[in-house]
Amino acid sequence: MKIRDLVAAVAVVGLSALSAVALRGWQAERQRANALQAQMATLNKQEQRSAVMRSVSKQLEEIALQQKIISDERREEAIQQKRTAELMRQQSEVERMKALVAQEKAQTSEHHAQEALQTAESERQIAEHQRIKAEMAKRVTDTLSYQALSRSLGSLALIQSQRGNSELADLLAYASYHYNDRYGGDIYHPAIFQSLLTASESMRIWPKHRGAVMAMAFMPHQDNVIVTVSTYGEIMLHEKRGEQLVTRRLLTDSQYDFRDVYIDAQSVIYAISRSGHLAVVHSDGTSKVIAVNLLDMPQWLSMIDGDNILIVGDHGLAQYNRQRGVVSTRELDFRITAASRYGNLPVIFDDKGRQHVVENITELVTSEVPVKGRITAFASSKNTRQAAFGLIDGTIYLLNEQSGDVTRLEGHLSRISKLKFNGRRLFSASYDGMLNLWNTASDKIEPMTLLRAGNWIMNFTFDATKNNAWIGTYNGDVSEALMSVPTMAGIVRDKLKRNFTVDEWNYYIGKNVSYERFTDRQQ
């Protein structure tokens, strides 16, 4: 190769290399230029944003300045309001202090007024108490005075009745009840009760038996039909028709000595005779007499259950079955003095101071009688938890079963024949001929004689209303007596024919008592 060509080739190569280098340099510059342009664009944008930001910042500064001005104004207003509020608070405090002072003065005045009111009220209460005491004293005096007047009028009524002055006796009897009732007296006081019983003519006596009437019992659900038995062997059925007592003899045989009667739910009548016979009378009128063998001197009957009746003798017991007759007997080693019922069971008393509750003929629950003496009558009350023991000498003992306390009641003169409770009232009958009432709720229990039969009272009973007592006496009389005092008073008021004259009023009642009329009938 020629040097010329070599040089030319080298030159070409060098020129190419130089061109390549120049191209890369141009490209690098171009890239730098582009980068600078981009940077300039970016800077321009940043400048524009900075300008915007400066504008916004300036606006914000202006807003902040305005807000500061407003805030300063409000702060100034708040300071002014605070000053005003403080001034008002100070004024309010001054007013509050004035109000407190006024309140204290008002409270002081109120306290003084309250003290004055309390003093006045205390004086008023003292005066009222004195007035009430005076009224109570007057009322007590008036009450005692009028109660005494009512009893006196009752006694006068009985005197006038005995003299035959029935019109005046009726007036006095009703006036006796009137003032007694108005002033809360005891309506069962003997003078008042007896005067009303006489004036109302509410006691009827019918001589029916030849022997002593020993027992009586009402037919089931028939308050106007009663059966009585006597010692002359008489069994009679009586029906009350108005003022009349219509009698039918069911059995009469003097060989029998009937002492007790029992009527079952089927209206079958059982009467026991001391001769040792049991008479059975059916509702159709048919009758039979059964010998009770091996039983000495029977005289009491008592129900054991629906089919069996206990027969009590002087020294033994027998059991009678309604279908099979006498099914068993039992001899006892003591003498029986009385028989009654204790709760739902028969009870018997002996001559050794014991009582025996009969659960059945073979089972007796025995205990000591809490009183001394021969028991002839007994009654008990499940509701009041009381028991009464009547003795042969006329004494009655009242037992409080809860506390065990025993109270001696004296008012009869001879043997107690029958005792019966009606709530807190105890009725007693005696051979002394008196039917007495005892108020067992009273602190001091005293007898009130309801009636005097004029003969030994052998037995008595009440109808279902408890308003009427039926009485059997030794001379054979059957009596009915009204026991309801208000009912008797109503009868007497209705039969009054006139009122008191002024002279009668002033004499019997008194001038200091305002005149009253007891009837509309003209004198």
Side-chain angles (χ1 to χ4, degrees):
M1 175 176 296
K2 295 179 176 180
I3 297 171
R4 186 181 179 183
D5 291 333
L6 182 57
V7 171
V10 171
V12 171
V13 171
L15 184 59
S16 298
L18 183 62
S19 296
V21 171
L23 181 58
R24 286 194 296 273
W26 179 80
Q27 289 177 342
E29 287 297 328
R30 186 173 179 79
Q31 289 176 350
R32 285 195 295 272
N34 289 338
L36 289 172
Q37 288 178 353
Q39 185 176 5
M40 286 298 293
T42 300
L43 291 174
N44 287 335
K45 290 180 180 178
Q46 290 178 349
E47 181 63 24
Q48 290 176 357
R49 284 198 297 272
S50 297
V52 172
M53 292 296 293
R54 285 195 298 275
S55 176
V56 171
S57 177
K58 186 176 181 180
Q59 292 176 359
L60 291 174
E61 288 177 358
E62 292 176 355
I63 292 171
L65 180 60
Q66 292 176 357
Q67 290 178 342
K68 181 176 180 302
I69 294 171
I70 293 172
S71 176
D72 290 342
E73 292 176 352
R74 291 180 177 176
R75 183 173 63 80
E76 188 65 28
E77 290 177 358
I79 292 172
Q80 188 63 33
Q81 290 176 354
K82 180 179 179 182
R83 289 173 181 169
T84 302
E86 180 64 20
L87 181 61
M88 293 178 67
R89 187 190 67 76
Q90 291 176 356
Q91 292 176 348
S92 176
E93 183 67 18
V94 172
E95 294 298 327
R96 189 181 71 81
M97 293 302 296
K98 290 180 179 180
L100 287 175
V101 173
Q103 182 181 6
E104 289 179 357
K105 291 181 178 180
Q107 288 178 345
T108 301
S109 298
E110 181 182 2
H111 180 69
H112 291 325
Q114 189 68 25
E115 286 182 344
L117 179 62
Q118 290 177 353
T119 301
E121 178 64 19
S122 176
E123 292 177 351
R124 186 194 68 78
Q125 290 179 354
I126 292 173
E128 179 69 12
H129 179 66
Q130 295 297 329
R131 183 187 67 81
I132 292 173
K133 284 180 64 177
E135 288 183 353
M136 287 181 63
K138 182 178 182 302
R139 190 178 299 116
V140 169
T141 301
D142 289 346
T143 297
L144 294 175
S145 175
Y146 279 104
Q147 288 179 0
L149 173 63
S150 68
R151 296 169 184 175
S152 174
L153 292 173
S155 298
L156 290 170
L158 290 172
I159 293 173
Q160 292 299 327
S161 178
Q162 292 170 0
R163 291 177 179 177
N165 300 327
S166 59
E167 288 187 3
L168 182 56
D170 292 347
L171 278 169
L172 290 168
Y174 184 73
S176 172
Y177 168 78
H178 174 75
Y179 289 111
N180 183 78
D181 181 61
R182 176 181 289 180
Y183 289 91
D186 184 359
I187 62 175
Y188 285 97
H189 187 276
I192 300 168
F193 185 91
Q194 290 287 353
S195 66
L196 287 173
L197 184 66
T198 302
S200 63
E201 299 176 334
S202 53
M203 182 173 180
R204 299 286 184 270
I205 301 175
W206 297 279
K208 293 292 183 179
H209 288 274
R210 296 181 65 181
V213 181
M214 299 302 297
M216 51 182 52
F218 280 97
M219 295 295 287
H221 313 297
Q222 298 184 69
D223 269 355
N224 64 328
V225 180
I226 191 169
V227 175
T228 58
V229 299
S230 80
T231 55
Y232 198 73
E234 302 163 302
I235 303 176
M236 295 185 182
L237 184 144
H238 315 276
E239 182 178 358
K240 178 78 180 297
R241 298 177 184 174
E243 301 299 322
Q244 302 298 318
L245 191 65
V246 180
T247 300
R248 180 159 60 98
R249 291 180 177 269
L250 303 178
L251 179 64
T252 301
D253 192 334
S254 60
Q255 70 172 313
Y256 303 126
D257 178 3
F258 293 119
R259 297 303 180 95
D260 202 2
V261 63
Y262 169 74
I263 306 175
D264 66 16
Q266 287 72 40
S267 299
V268 179
I269 302 168
Y270 303 87
I272 190 66
S273 169
R274 288 285 279 176
S275 62
H277 296 86
L278 177 69
V280 182
V281 182
H282 296 276
S283 57
D284 61 1
T286 61
S287 63
K288 61 180 178 179
V289 179
I290 302 167
V292 184
N293 299 319
L294 304 179
L295 186 63
D296 180 37
M297 305 290 283
Q299 61 175 330
W300 295 284
L301 296 175
S302 189
M303 179 189 68
I304 298 177
D305 54 44
D307 291 323
N308 294 282
I309 300 172
L310 181 70
I311 305 173
V312 182
D314 282 355
H315 295 93
L317 306 174
Q319 180 174 330
Y320 175 83
N321 183 275
R322 295 198 306 166
Q323 284 74 38
R324 295 181 293 158
V326 178
V327 294
S328 61
T329 58
R330 177 182 178 182
E331 187 176 354
L332 302 173
D333 60 354
F334 51 79
R335 179 181 177 83
I336 299 174
T337 63
S340 183
R341 296 190 69 80
Y342 186 74
N344 296 322
L345 295 173
V347 61
I348 57 177
F349 297 85
D350 66 24
D351 57 353
K352 298 180 180 179
R354 298 175 301 180
Q355 63 186 31
H356 313 267
V357 177
V358 183
E359 295 188 347
N360 56 63
I361 196 170
T362 60
E363 295 184 34
L364 305 181
V365 179
T366 301
S367 61
E368 294 293 323
V369 177
V371 301
K372 299 297 183 181
R374 181 181 172 185
I375 306 299
T376 58
F378 174 79
S380 65
S381 171
K382 291 189 295 185
N383 294 331
T384 64
R385 299 292 304 277
Q386 292 178 313
F389 303 84
L391 274 59
I392 195 169
D393 64 357
T395 304
I396 299 173
Y397 288 99
L398 180 68
L399 169 66
N400 184 322
E401 294 182 331
Q402 289 181 309
S403 64
D405 295 337
V406 177
T407 304
R408 181 186 176 100
L409 307 180
E410 295 183 347
H412 287 290
L413 304 177
S414 57
R415 178 190 181 113
I416 303 299
S417 56
K418 183 68 176 288
L419 295 171
K420 198 172 187 67
F421 276 102
N422 182 11
R424 289 282 180 181
R425 293 183 292 177
L426 172 65
F427 294 86
S428 62
S430 167
Y431 282 9
D432 61 12
M434 291 189 293
L435 178 64
N436 283 349
L437 167 65
W438 312 78
N439 181 6
T440 64
S442 176
D443 293 333
K444 185 178 181 181
I445 307 174
E446 295 182 342
M448 301 178 190
T449 301
L450 301 181
L451 57 89
R452 297 178 185 272
N455 213 291
W456 292 3
I457 297 179
M458 311 305 295
N459 207 306
F460 74 92
T461 189
F462 292 102
D463 62 10
T465 66
K466 308 296 184 185
N467 288 336
N468 297 283
W470 287 78
I471 303 152
T473 55
Y474 182 78
N475 64 347
D477 289 344
V478 176
S479 305
E480 180 197 31
L482 181 62
M483 293 286 105
S484 171
V485 173
T487 303
M488 287 191 289
I491 293 173
V492 176
R493 184 188 61 242
D494 292 341
K495 66 177 289 198
L496 292 178
K497 295 180 179 180
R498 63 180 180 86
N499 288 294
F500 284 107
T501 66
V502 175
D503 289 340
E504 288 173 339
W505 184 274
N506 293 338
Y507 182 78
Y508 292 109
I509 309 297
K511 295 180 180 180
N512 58 329
V513 179
S514 299
Y515 183 87
E516 294 185 58
R517 297 172 59 87
F518 297 132
T519 180
D520 294 331
R521 295 176 181 176
Q522 299 296 324
Q523 296 185 14

